[in-house]
């Protein structure tokens, strides 16, 4: 592709993953990685068992890569559960080592199971990955006898990482959850600062992601904790009172666009609350906000006062904390649901079959052709074929680039550093780079992990520099298999279901618009707002910030679900934009409509908040007409893959509360929709 200066430059979808993401150095993770991978090597050398020390370090490497959570409870799951599956995988691989086609059949079956369980969730995805990786390693490398020694040593490596991770737990306990809630408050402050500017939508996306993370951390940990003094009850209450602020934000953005910027006191007050949450302060301070008669300003003021009351409360009553926004079911119930979903889900079977086909081809190829240390081919396929990690195509390209970069450093180490005790400081340095480079992107993570794996492999088979070139060939072969058998041969790779996902989001937006202006349930008061929080702390407040007995929470849950779904749609778009044409170009064409749907939801929430704080309510017929237009748009998106501009009349009061919403719906219909007959609306 030629640039404006006449130079040939690669397309953006090809180079997107090669630009490092800005990220701070995670110093605790860096120190843990250095210790977890170097100490087992040192112990193995001291005991004259370097191969067994290398196996422990291999298990630690899996734990280091999987330690991605913040809360301690989740970190235990993220490290310990995958290690159990990894132990099962290496056991199966060891039992079929050297058995030719039996090994091919076994690894293909393991790949099918690994792919299917990866669709359940993040921990299951890591477990499926480690199950297959360790099975491939066990079937490709000679392991020490007896058969149970390898899984024990690999599991011991995971325990080393877990022990280092939990060293701070007695002192910090709920500190990660508290920091997450405080970070969410700060993203809300950034959102209000951006009200009325072009940066508003970007800040809202950051709020959605931060809020989702905080709820996931707190609700997962609070599943079995209901004590009156539980700090998690207070954190949940503090998180819940952000909901009225978030509901008021679209109205504040609309007000800022029409009448000028908001008072700086709003964002400053939210940041003060963030500091109070993070440090556990309970001093009382009433927010100093300028008076205003506008409904949007009143909504913001009520929400801020309510949030300040809850944040500065010493200890909310745990039974008053409403966690109906997504509290997890029991472990047994979730396990049954996950198993049923996995077995009955078409995407789960599709991915399992794709992965099984690629692994079967990789193992068959190395069984027919003499490839030294052939396990690397299947390892490459496994890493590339992780759909929840991003585009298969871009990951194959990035894997090849990252492997080449990693092999350069590995070649220097294997050629210049003598084997033995020098391996320990070298491993500490290389391991410390893994968390740093992982935050930069997949290609950089691959570049950091490759020399570590090669150094550990050399401790097992003593091939030295001779490992370098075969690993490059194996990686390229694995990338080629993933591209052909895991990407090109599957129609869904070329026919993205982005339109279907957007159609679902539009249909949900229609239902939300109808629900938002439904008359309040008896006993909810004028606002009808569902504000989860603490009953005692809500006393004396009014409007959207009030917490009243018998509030109708359906609208609130629908809004939270809709914003979560829109966040998932946005992530799917970002993945699709890295695909080559036609998928990438089609995603780019649909992208403006995705933005339009988000603006429709914001406009609906803004209108709802204005009505709750004094604006005249809309005519029910006007609401029904908007919902009908959105349902028609959803039906049109499901019926065509081509964007067809249309016109939507949508008459109504141009000075009414729904005027901005009708404008956003018109904009969405002008971007895409079904072809209408000449006499259509």
């Amino acid at each position: 592709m030629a640039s404006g200066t006449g130079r040939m430059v690669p397309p953006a979808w090809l180079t997107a993953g090669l630009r490092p993401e800005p990220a701070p150095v995670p110093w605790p993770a860096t120190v843990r990685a250095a210790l977890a991978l170097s100490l087992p090597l040192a112990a193995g050398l001291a005991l004259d068992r370097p191969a067994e020390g290398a196996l422990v370090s291999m298990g630690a490497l899996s734990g280091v890569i999987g330690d991605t959570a913040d809360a301690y409870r989740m970190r235990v799951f993220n490290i310990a559960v995958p290690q159990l599956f990894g132990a099962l995988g290496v056991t199966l691989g060891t039992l079929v080592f050297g058995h030719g086609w039996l090994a091919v059949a076994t690894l293909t079956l393991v790949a099918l199971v690994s792919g299917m369980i990866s669709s359940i969730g993040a921990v299951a995805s890591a477990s499926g990955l480690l199950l297959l990786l360790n099975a491939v390693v066990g079937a490709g490398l000679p392991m020490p006898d007896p058969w149970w020694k390898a899984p024990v040593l690999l599991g011991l490596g995971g325990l080393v990482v877990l022990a280092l991770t939990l060293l701070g737990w007695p002192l910090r306990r709920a500190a990660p959850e508290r920091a997450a809630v405080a970070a969410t408050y700060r993203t809300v402050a950034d959102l209000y600062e951006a009200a009325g500017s072009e940066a508003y939508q970007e800040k809202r996306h950051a709020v959605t992601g931060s809020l989702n993370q905080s709820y996931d951390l707190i609700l997962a940990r609070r599943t079995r904790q209901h004590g009156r003094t539980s700090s998690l009850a207070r954190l949940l209450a503090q998180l819940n009172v952000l909901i009225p602020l978030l509901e008021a934000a679209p109205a504040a953005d609309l007000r800022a666009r029409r009448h000028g910027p908001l008072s700086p006191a709003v964002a400053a007050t939210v940041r003060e609350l963030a500091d109070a949450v993070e440090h556990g302060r309970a001093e009382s301070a009433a927010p100093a906000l300028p008076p205003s008669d506008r409904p949007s300003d009143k909504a913001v003021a009520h929400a801020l006062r309510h949030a300040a009351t809850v944040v500065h409360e010493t200890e909310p009553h745990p039974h008053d904390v409403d966690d109906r926004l997504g509290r997890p079911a029991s472990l047994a119930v979730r396990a049954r649901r996950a198993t049923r979903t996995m077995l009955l889900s078409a995407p789960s079977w599709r991915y399992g079959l794709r992965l099984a086909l690629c692994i079967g081809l990789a193992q068959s190829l190395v069984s027919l052709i003499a490839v030294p240390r052939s396990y690397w081919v299947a390892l490459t396929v496994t890493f590339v074929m992780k759909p929840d990690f991003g585009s298969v195509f871009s990951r194959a390209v990035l894997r090849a680039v990252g492997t080449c970069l990693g092999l350069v450093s590995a070649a220097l180490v294997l050629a210049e550093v003598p084997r033995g005790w020098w391996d320990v400081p070298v491993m500490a340095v290389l391991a410390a780079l893994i968390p740093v480079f992982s935050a930069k992107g997949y290609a950089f993570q691959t570049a950091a992990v490759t020399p570590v794996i090669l150094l550990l492999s050399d401790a097992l088979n003593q091939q030295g520099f001779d490992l370098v070139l075969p690993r490059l060939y194996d990686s390229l072969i694995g990338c080629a298999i993933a591209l052909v058998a895991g990407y090109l041969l599957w129609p869904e790779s070329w026919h993205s279901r982005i339109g279907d996902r957007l159609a679902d989001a539009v249909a949900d937006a229609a239902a939300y618009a109808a629900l938002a202006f439904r008359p309040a349930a008896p006993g909810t008061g004028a606002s009808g707002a569902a504000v989860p929080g603490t009953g005692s702390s809500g006393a004396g407040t009014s409007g959207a910030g009030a917490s009243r007995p018998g509030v109708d929470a359906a609208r609130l849950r629908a809004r939270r679900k809709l914003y979560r779904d829109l966040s998932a749609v946005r992530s799917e778009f970002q993945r699709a934009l890295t695909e080559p044409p036609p998928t990438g170009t089609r995603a780019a064409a649909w992208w403006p409509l995705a933005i339009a749907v988000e603006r429709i939801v914001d406009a609906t929430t803004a209108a709802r908040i204005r009505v709750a704080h004094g604006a005249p309510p809309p005519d029910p017929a006007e609401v029904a007409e908007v919902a009908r237009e959105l349902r028609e748009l959803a039906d049109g998106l499901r019926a065509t893959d081509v964007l067809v501009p249309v016109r939507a009349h949508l008459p109504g009061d141009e000075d009414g509360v729904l005027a901005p919403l009708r404008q956003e719906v018109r904009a969405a219909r002008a971007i895409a929709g079904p072809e209408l007959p000449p006499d259509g609306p």
Side-chain angles (χ1 to χ4, degrees), residues 519-525 549-552:
T524 60
V551 286
D552 181 8

Side-chain angles (χ1 to χ4, degrees), residues 58-122:
M58 276 191 175
L61 175 62
S62 302
V64 166
I65 296 175
D67 185 18
T68 56
D70 294 320
Y72 283 103
R73 182 177 181 274
M74 294 305 299
R75 296 171 81 175
V76 171
F77 277 101
N78 281 12
I79 297 174
V81 175
Q83 289 294 329
L84 295 176
F85 281 85
L88 174 61
V90 76
T91 302
L92 294 174
T94 302
L95 294 177
V96 298
F97 173 75
H99 286 74
W101 291 105
L102 177 60
V104 173
T106 301
L107 290 182
T108 301
L109 181 60
V110 170
L112 175 63
V113 175
S114 170
M116 293 186 68
I117 66 176
S118 293
S119 64
I120 296 175

Side-chain angles (χ1 to χ4, degrees), residues 617-624 658:
D619 187 342
E622 190 178 4
V623 176
L658 286 192

Side-chain angles (χ1 to χ4, degrees), residues 306 313 316-317 319-322 532-541 547-548:
H306 181 54
E313 190 174 43
H317 195 288
H319 297 295
D320 287 336
V321 178
D322 184 355
T534 60
S536 57
S537 62
T541 62
S547 178
R548 304 170 186 267

Side-chain angles (χ1 to χ4, degrees), residues 34-45:
L35 294 175
L37 271 75
S38 61
L39 291 180
L41 277 184
L45 290 170

Side-chain angles (χ1 to χ4, degrees), residues 640-662:
T640 180
D641 290 333
V642 180
L643 296 177
V644 182
V646 298
R647 288 191 300 272
H649 182 47
L650 274 180
D653 182 5
E654 292 304 319
D655 295 324
V657 72
L658 286 192
L661 175 58
R662 291 199 312 276

Side-chain angles (χ1 to χ4, degrees), residues 582-665:
T583 301
T585 52
R586 184 176 294 125
W590 288 98
W591 180 248
L593 182 57
I595 301 299
V597 175
E598 293 177 345
R599 292 180 63 86
I600 287 171
V601 178
D602 281 349
T604 304
T605 302
R608 176 66 184 80
I609 290 300
R610 292 178 65 197
V611 170
H613 288 270
D619 187 342
E622 190 178 4
V623 176
E625 180 67 13
V626 169
R628 186 186 68 81
E629 287 283 344
L630 289 173
R631 286 193 294 270
E632 281 190 4
L633 176 57
D635 294 339
L637 294 178
R638 294 190 180 96
T640 180
D641 290 333
V642 180
L643 296 177
V644 182
V646 298
R647 288 191 300 272
H649 182 47
L650 274 180
D653 182 5
E654 292 304 319
D655 295 324
V657 72
L658 286 192
L661 175 58
R662 291 199 312 276
Q663 182 179 358
E664 297 296 347
V665 173

